[in-house]
Amino acid sequence: MVSPKLYTYPLSTSQNMATAGKVIKCRAAVAWKPNAPLVIEEIEVAPPQENEIRIKVIATGVCHTDLYHLFEGKHEEGFPAVLGHEGAGIVESVGPGVTDFKPGDKVIPLFISQCGDCVFCKCPKTNLCERSWTSVRYGIMSEADSRFTCRGKVILQFMGTSTFSEYTVLNQIAVAKISDDARLDRVCLLGCGISTGYGAAINTAQVTPGSVCAVFGLGAVGLAAVMGCRNAGASRIIAVDINEDKFAKARALGATDFVNPKKHSKPISDVLSDMTNGGVDFSLECVGNVAVMRSALESCAKGWGVSVVVGWTDMADFSARPIQLIAGKTWKGSLFGGFKSKDSVPKLVLDYKSGKINLDEFVTHNMPLEKVNDAIELMKTGGCIRTILDVSPK
Ligand code: NAD
Ligand code: ZN
């Protein structure tokens, strides 16, 4: 494991004089091991190194991918870590070589970077970046290097972001600068869930006007996919979830039909086929369950149906009969909604401001960082869409 170098550099007058260049001691929720509650600890956050930015995190959402790492993936090597990847904050200080950010800027940490120089960044067909943790440490879900220590141990930065901490440090290729008047306790959701589901519909599926869509799973990701289908002009959006409490929000965001798979004895793909005279044009899996991924594919129309895997898992293989694809369906996956992160997130913030996308509808709970385990429990039991944690209350 690499230990953080406590690099210091001369203070410039534009830096936050009180803390710039120094180690900051602050509160963070540490996941010491899989399958156990997070512990609020005092951690040390090193100053930003070359090309890095230290951010005071103001607000963060809790996403199912945090729960996946803690309870489902359980990659031992990915601990101890500070979870959280759906945050927004304010630049506290910047390291040498950072020219596009200054203390006081409002920012969103990005779990996929956009370096601008790699083969992926230069290709308009993908939002991957060679310098993202996703390219090198996929199984461990964290950055190889970390700026955090606690009780003498290096604490990993989950998804490179670690927003369940009052301060975090990221390379500037993984930070989006957003407008000064952005509401941080809303736009934090653009750091993951909403951009992911919305982009999966508009960028990856490329939902067309008048089409018939089905969205499986109505957490924030699935509800954002519903919103994407609606904004793309779908004529019918079938919302599928085993928890009927989710249907009201889905209706508010544009769903027209509602299906609870538990209420049907036949396969859900047959139910959808009957409802649509042969299958939907686009389906989006927003659960993270390989059986549901198969159902979503099977629910598509032969000839042209497109099914997008959005839910996150690498715990099991998926399977389907080859005839599904031979018959002309397309099966695709989507990471962060296909958005090139640094370019797109500031624009999505403006889309929220103009009313093109809704974020308020997704926020069902607000809590202080100390209650993070309650927020996790709420998501586990399906009792929330998004809980916003106040990380550094003003
Ligand atoms: P969530 O837990 O809030 O929502 C999941 C929903 O799926 C719940 O409403 C649940 O009732 C429903 N569900 C469970 N089993 C179902 C079934 N068999 N059929 C239909 N619905 C079912 O989660 P979320 O935060 O919205 O995240 C959804 C998924 O997206 C997770 O797997 C998460 O890890 C993944 N994710 C992927 C990316 C990406 O870039 N691809 C990014 C963020 C999140
Ligand atoms: Zn997420």
Side-chain angles (χ1 to χ4, degrees):
M1 191 136 334
V2 189
S3 61
K5 290 162 255 146
L6 298 183
Y7 182 96
T8 53
Y9 59 94
L11 294 177
S12 86
T13 46
S14 62
Q15 303 280 7
N16 180 336
M17 299 297 284
T19 50
K22 298 177 187 154
V23 171
I24 291 181
K25 291 189 177 189
C26 67
R27 288 174 320 142
V30 177
W32 286 105
K33 55 183 183 191
N35 224 2
L38 309 188
V39 184
I40 301 292
E41 301 271 12
E42 184 178 85
I43 68 164
E44 296 88 37
V45 181
Q49 300 185 7
E50 185 118 29
N51 295 320
E52 292 180 345
I53 299 172
R54 189 159 59 186
I55 299 165
K56 182 179 166 83
V57 180
I58 301 296
T60 182
V62 177
C63 167
H64 198 109
T65 311
D66 300 307
L67 275 68
Y68 169 79
H69 189 66
L70 195 59
F71 302 113
E72 298 157 35
K74 296 193 220 166
H75 302 292
E76 296 281 348
E77 285 172 87
F79 294 85
V82 172
L83 304 179
H85 60 282
E86 202 173 73
I90 296 171
V91 175
E92 174 269 339
S93 63
V94 302
V98 175
T99 50
D100 295 346
F101 295 85
K102 59 180 187 318
D105 284 348
K106 286 190 174 173
V107 289
I108 292 183
L110 303 167
F111 76 84
I112 326 180
S113 52
Q114 186 185 350
C115 74
D117 290 328
C118 74
V119 63
F120 295 127
C121 282
K122 285 189 170 146
C123 173
K125 294 181 186 171
T126 177
N127 63 344
L128 298 183
C129 172
E130 247 174 25
R131 293 182 60 196
S132 259
W133 63 272
T134 39
S135 306
V136 265
R137 307 239 308 170
Y138 176 71
I140 296 169
M141 301 189 85
S142 59
E143 281 287 6
D145 204 358
S146 164
R147 300 288 163 265
F148 296 167
T149 52
C150 178
R151 299 174 189 269
K153 290 201 172 72
V154 173
I155 308 296
L156 297 175
Q157 291 187 230
F158 176 69
M159 293 176 94
T161 49
S162 288
T163 55
F164 295 171
S165 170
E166 287 181 300
Y167 287 88
T168 189
V169 179
L170 285 99
N171 191 296
Q172 60 179 336
I173 62 172
V175 182
K177 184 156 141 179
I178 58 170
S179 49
D180 286 340
D181 59 354
R183 190 174 162 185
L184 298 180
D185 64 350
R186 290 292 180 273
V187 299
C188 61
L189 297 178
L190 295 169
C192 182
I194 309 308
S195 307
T196 294
Y198 186 67
I202 64 166
N203 299 327
T204 315
Q206 300 194 339
V207 169
T208 47
S211 60
V212 176
C213 302
V215 176
F216 291 71
L218 304 171
V221 174
L223 290 172
V226 168
M227 179 167 74
C229 294
R230 183 201 58 195
N231 284 12
S235 61
R236 209 170 158 198
I237 304 167
I238 306 171
V240 183
D241 202 300
I242 53 174
N243 178 352
E244 294 191 10
D245 293 346
K246 308 279 177 138
F247 291 165
K249 290 273 180 200
R251 186 186 300 279
L253 289 159
T256 55
D257 299 69
F258 305 88
V259 175
N260 178 355
K262 284 189 169 165
K263 294 238 168 106
H264 296 272
S265 50
K266 56 183 175 181
I268 202 65
S269 51
D270 290 352
V271 175
L272 294 195
S273 180
D274 291 349
M275 285 170 72
T276 57
N277 198 19
V280 300
D281 301 309
F282 300 96
S283 68
L284 296 114
E285 196 276 357
C286 303
V287 179
N289 174 321
V290 292
V292 180
M293 291 171 189
R294 178 177 187 149
S295 299
L297 176 69
E298 290 172 347
S299 301
C300 284
K302 283 183 201 156
W304 57 77
V306 174
S307 187
V308 180
V309 173
V310 190
W312 191 291
T313 183
D314 67 346
M315 301 309 292
D317 294 345
F318 55 18
S319 61
R321 292 287 165 92
I323 191 66
Q324 293 285 325
L325 302 184
I326 294 166
K329 300 183 188 182
T330 304
W331 213 2
K332 311 170 84 169
S334 184
L335 182 67
F336 194 56
F339 284 115
K340 288 208 184 262
S341 59
K342 232 171 131 79
D343 290 348
S344 306
V345 166
K347 292 183 194 152
L348 289 165
V349 169
L350 298 178
D351 286 347
Y352 167 58
K353 207 173 145 191
S354 72
K356 187 173 171 194
I357 61 173
N358 184 336
L359 298 176
D360 304 331
E361 195 68 49
F362 294 84
V363 180
T364 52
H365 298 77
N366 265 283
M367 292 180 194
L369 177 65
E370 288 76 7
K371 300 259 185 206
V372 62
N373 290 310
D374 294 355
I376 287 173
E377 194 56 31
L378 259 179
M379 175 163 271
K380 242 173 141 178
T381 53
C384 67
I385 300 299
R386 276 298 190 258
T387 300
I388 303 295
L389 299 173
D390 296 327
V391 183
S392 300
K394 287 125 273 173

